[in-house]
């Protein structure tokens, strides 16, 4: 009786997860395997011929100056992740206390994360406008006579994208940190205060270690989300000026859907996958030293 009940439960479980697993198979696993095959071909979209080229795409990628530029820009883009997390932690600690308009402020901080990417692009293009934008207007008002050109210059464009991404991810990171902070027993914080710990010492010695699993989660998911994102960059700069904001994910998109070089794009995609795996493995190995469960 028990065994038959377990079998029925197992079949019911498979019935529920079946549609999702079919979707994963059709839209993730099969395309991934096919892209691995394409990496060794010269397949071009709408081309009648596909030839096996071996490692030519990988050699081309390693000798491609644009690939190097995109790789460097990707690492600059990733700098936004720890900065956003640090700011989000500070905001979460502040909003975890009783402050005026607490719920409203939480909603306002989270709102950018659920806002349309096109709307975000349009607003920030106006804010970063070099001659009449409010950001440079403010910088001139405090005495900076030659403010950056931001999105219009190759020197500052990638840093402007970082600022936008920090702002975009701040609300999401803050909400996750808030959830972690509210799970901390108040007795531990009170004990630290009774022992004479100052507020910054309480945060550093008590609160920060207790939310380290959340930090680890946000670091992994944030790096993965950032390294594969190109929507905001495509909407704001299309990788320009020049190639100063072309990251690897956008470089893949350009080769696949602008130049229709699917084989080469597949090779870059697997290079991006390898980078993500390296980052993830390093974080899993390093988390034993600073994550406290």
């Amino acid at each position: 009786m028990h065994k038959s009940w377990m079998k029925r439960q197992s079949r019911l479980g498979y019935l529920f997860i079946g549609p999702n697993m079919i979707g994963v198979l059709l839209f993730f696993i099969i395309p991934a395997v096919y892209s691995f095959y394409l990496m060794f071909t010269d397949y071009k979209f709408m081309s009648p011929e596909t030839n096996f080229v071996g490692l030519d795409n990988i050699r081309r990628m390693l000798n491609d100056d644009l690939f190097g530029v995109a790789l460097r820009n990707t690492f600059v883009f990733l700098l936004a992740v720890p900065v956003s997390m640090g700011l989000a932690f500070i905001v979460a600690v502040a909003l975890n206390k009783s402050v005026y308009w607490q719920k409203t402020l939480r909603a306002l901080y989270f709102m950018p994360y659920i806002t349309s990417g096109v709307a975000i692009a349009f607003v920030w293009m106006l804010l970063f406008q070099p001659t009449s934008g409010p950001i440079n207007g403010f910088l001139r008002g405090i005495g900076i006579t030659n403010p950056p050109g931001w999105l219009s210059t190759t020197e500052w464009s990638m840093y402007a994208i970082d600022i936008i991404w920090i702002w975009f991810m701040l609300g999401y990171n803050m909400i996750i940190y808030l959830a972690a902070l509210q799970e901390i027993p108040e007795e531990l914080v009170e004990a630290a205060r009774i022992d004479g710990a100052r507020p910054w010492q309480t945060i550093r010695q008590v609160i920060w270690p207790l939310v380290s699993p959340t930090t680890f989660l946000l670091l992994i998911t944030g790096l993965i989300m950032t390294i594969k994102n190109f929507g905001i960059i495509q909407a704001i700069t299309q990788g320009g000026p020049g190639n100063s904001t072309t990251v690897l994910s956008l470089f893949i998109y350009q080769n696949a859907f602008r130049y229709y070089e699917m084989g080469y794009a597949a090779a870059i995609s697997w290079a991006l996958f390898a980078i993500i795996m390296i980052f993830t493995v390093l974080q899993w190995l390093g988390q034993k030293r600073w994550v406290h469960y």
Side-chain angles (χ1 to χ4, degrees), residues 158-170:
M158 197 64 232
Y159 299 107
I161 295 294
D162 272 355
I163 292 172
I164 298 171
W165 191 247
I166 290 169
W167 171 83
F168 176 76
M169 291 296 298
L170 180 63

Side-chain angles (χ1 to χ4, degrees), residues 89-155:
F89 177 73
I90 295 172
V91 173
V93 170
L95 293 183
N96 193 45
K97 300 178 180 179
S98 297
V99 296
Y100 290 110
W101 303 96
Q102 184 186 59
K103 294 182 179 179
T104 303
L105 289 173
R106 290 178 180 179
L108 289 176
Y109 274 109
F110 186 69
M111 193 174 295
Y113 188 73
I114 58 175
T115 304
S116 166
V118 176
I120 291 173
F122 181 74
V123 169
W124 279 99
M125 287 170 67
L126 293 177
L127 291 174
F128 277 133
Q129 215 282 334
T131 56
S132 57
I135 292 178
N136 277 1
F138 170 77
L139 294 177
R140 292 188 187 95
I142 61 175
I144 300 176
T145 57
N146 188 26
W150 300 114
L151 296 170
S152 62
T153 62
T154 57
E155 293 83 5

Side-chain angles (χ1 to χ4, degrees), residues 81-99 102 105-106 109 166 169-181 199-200 203-204 207-208 211 214-215 218:
V81 176
V83 175
S84 179
M85 289 174 55
L87 293 175
F89 177 73
I90 295 172
V91 173
V93 170
L95 293 183
N96 193 45
K97 300 178 180 179
S98 297
V99 296
Q102 184 186 59
L105 289 173
R106 290 178 180 179
Y109 274 109
I166 290 169
M169 291 296 298
L170 180 63
Y172 171 78
N173 293 333
M174 178 209 68
I175 289 295
I176 302 300
Y177 269 130
L178 270 174
L181 290 171
W200 67 270
I203 293 173
R204 181 170 176 267
I207 296 176
W208 179 252
V211 300
T214 302
T215 301
L218 290 176

Side-chain angles (χ1 to χ4, degrees), residues 228-274:
K228 69 178 186 178
N229 180 275
F230 72 93
I232 287 182
I233 298 176
Q234 174 67 13
I236 296 175
T237 63
Q238 294 81 49
N243 291 294
S244 60
T245 57
T246 299
V247 294
L248 282 177
S249 54
L250 182 58
F251 192 49
I252 294 168
Y253 172 83
Q254 291 173 343
N255 279 280
F257 301 107
R258 182 181 296 177
Y259 309 123
Y260 303 116
E261 297 190 6
M262 299 296 180
Y264 186 46
I268 305 170
S269 298
W270 280 95
L272 183 62
F273 171 77

